[in-house]
Amino acid sequence: MKNVTIIGAGTMGNGIAHVFAQFNFKVSIYDLSENSLESALNTISKNLERQIKKEKISKQEKQSILENISTFTNLKESVLDADLVIEAATENEKIKIDIFKKLDQECKKNTILATNTSSISITKIANSTNRPDRIIGMHFMNPVPIMKLVEVIRGKETSDNTTKLVMNLSKNLNKIPVEVNDAPGFVANRILMPMINEAVLTLEQNVSGVQEIDTVMILGMSHPMGPLQLADFIGLDICVSILEVMHNDFKDKKYAPSKLLKKMVKENNLGVKTGEGFYNYSKGIKDKTVANFFSK
Ligand SMILES: NC(=O)c1ccc[n+]([C@@H]2O[C@H](COP(=O)([O-])OP(=O)(O)OC[C@H]3O[C@@H](n4cnc5c(N)ncnc54)[C@H](O)[C@@H]3O)[C@@H](O)[C@H]2O)c1
């Protein structure tokens, strides 16, 4: 496996591209938006600069990592040579199914098509293609260059061969893969999102303030970051989408996104990516907890 295409150049897409390029894969990134592609390259370059400062890579390595990456606004061109495609576009079932139908048409017959979805059924996505045995969930965590886990999700028809390949590939990227079965939110978000939603409800019902809620969870539960700040990092729109998928699929109102979370998304206060969420990021990521997290 040598050529990897990433669909979507947002928070996750640029991180996934960074890691593959660092491990010497030829990486193509496709997005509808030129701006997203441009800012993905800027983010990758800044994060590589950080790795140079920490003496994890050299200046020459930064250059060759960047040379491994090409960007595209034409889907067909971006997947011509792809051995593996990882879809990391917006968390929306219709968008993803549409992308997978096109990928199935445009990619080589044996190309493995993975999705970084946080919650949408892998089996449903696989059923929109003619290669359900080669469709799999490859759920990286944010920030991708730092976080070790890859949740590897098998759809109903994902083959043993595809699973083995993706598990081994994840290990070769210096990650730790964990195999899970297909269910709404899989393991990570089934547990995480109700906690984030409950933290927002606690704020909404004025039980305490933003920093106080996060401090309780950091100091009291030894979490490296509070749930409200974590929501800012994930993106509040992504949190709402994941909760809605779980709410619809489990038909249980305990997963319904809180009013405050939905209001913040409506007002485009999405967290780090728009500069404003539960915290303000217009002057960069100042908060100590987060700074510590990123300096690891
Ligand atoms: N943000 C997180 O912490 C996190 C963690 C794990 C998984 N995920 C999942 O990763 C995926 C991407 O999330 P994100 O946070 O990077 O989102 P994002 O909003 O930062 O980026 C999404 C990107 O997809 C692009 N896009 C939208 N429709 C497209 C299409 N049809 N074709 C190509 N590109 C398209 C957008 O232009 C944008 O650049 C989602 O499925 C999300 O659930 C997110």
Side-chain angles (χ1 to χ4, degrees):
M1 224 180 237
K2 192 84 202 97
N3 301 307
V4 177
T5 300
I6 315 296
I7 309 291
T11 312
M12 295 306 288
N14 80 63
I16 299 168
H18 176 142
V19 169
F20 274 96
Q22 189 166 350
F23 281 83
N24 226 6
F25 287 82
K26 293 288 167 212
V27 179
S28 303
I29 318 178
Y30 162 78
D31 202 292
L32 299 172
S33 143
E34 281 278 8
N35 282 347
S36 287
L37 289 167
E38 204 174 299
S39 63
L41 289 180
N42 284 335
T43 305
I44 294 170
S45 180
K46 266 193 231 152
N47 289 339
L48 288 169
E49 217 35 68
R50 223 177 265 164
Q51 288 178 300
I52 294 176
K53 274 197 194 131
K54 286 191 227 155
E55 296 181 353
K56 292 205 163 146
I57 57 165
S58 66
K59 279 200 165 154
Q60 292 91 310
E61 280 171 312
K62 175 187 172 185
Q63 199 46 41
S64 64
I65 292 168
L66 288 175
E67 280 165 13
N68 281 338
I69 303 176
S70 318
T71 59
F72 296 84
T73 50
N74 180 304
L75 181 83
K76 191 174 177 168
E77 285 171 18
S78 76
V79 297
L80 268 185
D81 302 317
D83 304 307
L84 168 72
V85 177
I86 302 176
E87 173 276 318
T90 309
E91 184 75 351
N92 173 294
E93 188 177 307
K94 196 179 164 304
I95 291 177
K96 292 198 189 286
I97 289 196
D98 189 44
I99 291 172
F100 272 81
K101 281 186 178 159
K102 287 186 190 144
L103 290 175
D104 194 31
Q105 277 169 16
E106 305 296 351
C107 292
K108 295 182 288 190
K109 254 194 160 166
N110 57 352
T111 303
I112 292 178
L113 307 181
T115 171
N116 188 51
T117 180
S118 303
S119 58
I120 297 168
S121 164
I122 306 302
T123 306
K124 218 184 246 178
I125 292 174
N127 287 344
S128 69
T129 73
N130 292 310
R131 59 178 90 194
D133 56 318
R134 269 158 290 144
I135 307 290
I136 194 160
M138 204 175 177
H139 185 206
F140 289 87
M141 305 290 135
N142 182 22
V144 185
I146 293 171
M147 300 292 278
K148 281 280 183 203
L149 178 69
V150 182
E151 210 180 9
V152 174
I153 306 116
R154 294 185 73 135
K156 244 188 193 145
E157 292 183 57
T158 309
S159 69
D160 289 345
N161 197 33
T162 301
T163 309
K164 203 168 144 200
L165 238 143
V166 166
M167 295 288 287
N168 285 337
L169 174 66
S170 306
K171 288 179 198 158
N172 291 340
L173 296 171
N174 204 17
K175 303 286 182 204
I176 297 171
V178 173
E179 191 184 318
V180 311
N181 289 324
D182 193 16
F186 319 124
V187 172
N189 284 306
R190 176 144 174 196
I191 298 171
L192 175 65
M193 284 302 149
M195 183 187 74
I196 286 180
N197 204 30
E198 204 58 40
V200 182
L201 279 167
T202 310
L203 177 70
E204 194 179 307
Q205 293 165 11
N206 203 24
V207 180
S208 200
V210 171
Q211 249 161 354
E212 288 78 3
I213 292 168
D214 276 354
T215 303
V216 167
M217 297 307 285
I218 293 165
L219 298 184
M221 319 299 153
S222 279
H223 287 196
M225 186 187 282
L228 298 173
Q229 186 137 54
L230 180 54
D232 277 354
F233 271 80
I234 293 169
L236 305 193
D237 53 337
I238 300 279
C239 294
V240 167
S241 303
I242 298 169
L243 284 161
E244 278 170 348
V245 169
M246 295 204 290
H247 184 208
N248 283 336
D249 290 2
F250 285 122
K251 312 227 174 312
D252 185 337
K253 66 177 187 327
K254 82 172 176 192
Y255 298 107
S258 77
K259 270 192 200 137
L260 177 59
L261 203 48
K262 289 210 290 199
K263 179 171 174 277
M264 289 174 77
V265 171
K266 214 170 176 188
E267 289 166 355
N268 205 38
N269 293 326
L270 306 182
V272 174
K273 64 182 160 190
T274 56
E276 182 80 40
F278 293 106
Y279 296 83
N280 180 282
Y281 303 91
S282 53
K283 293 192 183 122
I285 300 163
K286 261 192 341 192
D287 181 84
K288 260 191 158 177
T289 318
V290 177
N292 286 341
F293 187 70
F294 273 85
S295 68
K296 268 183 199 158

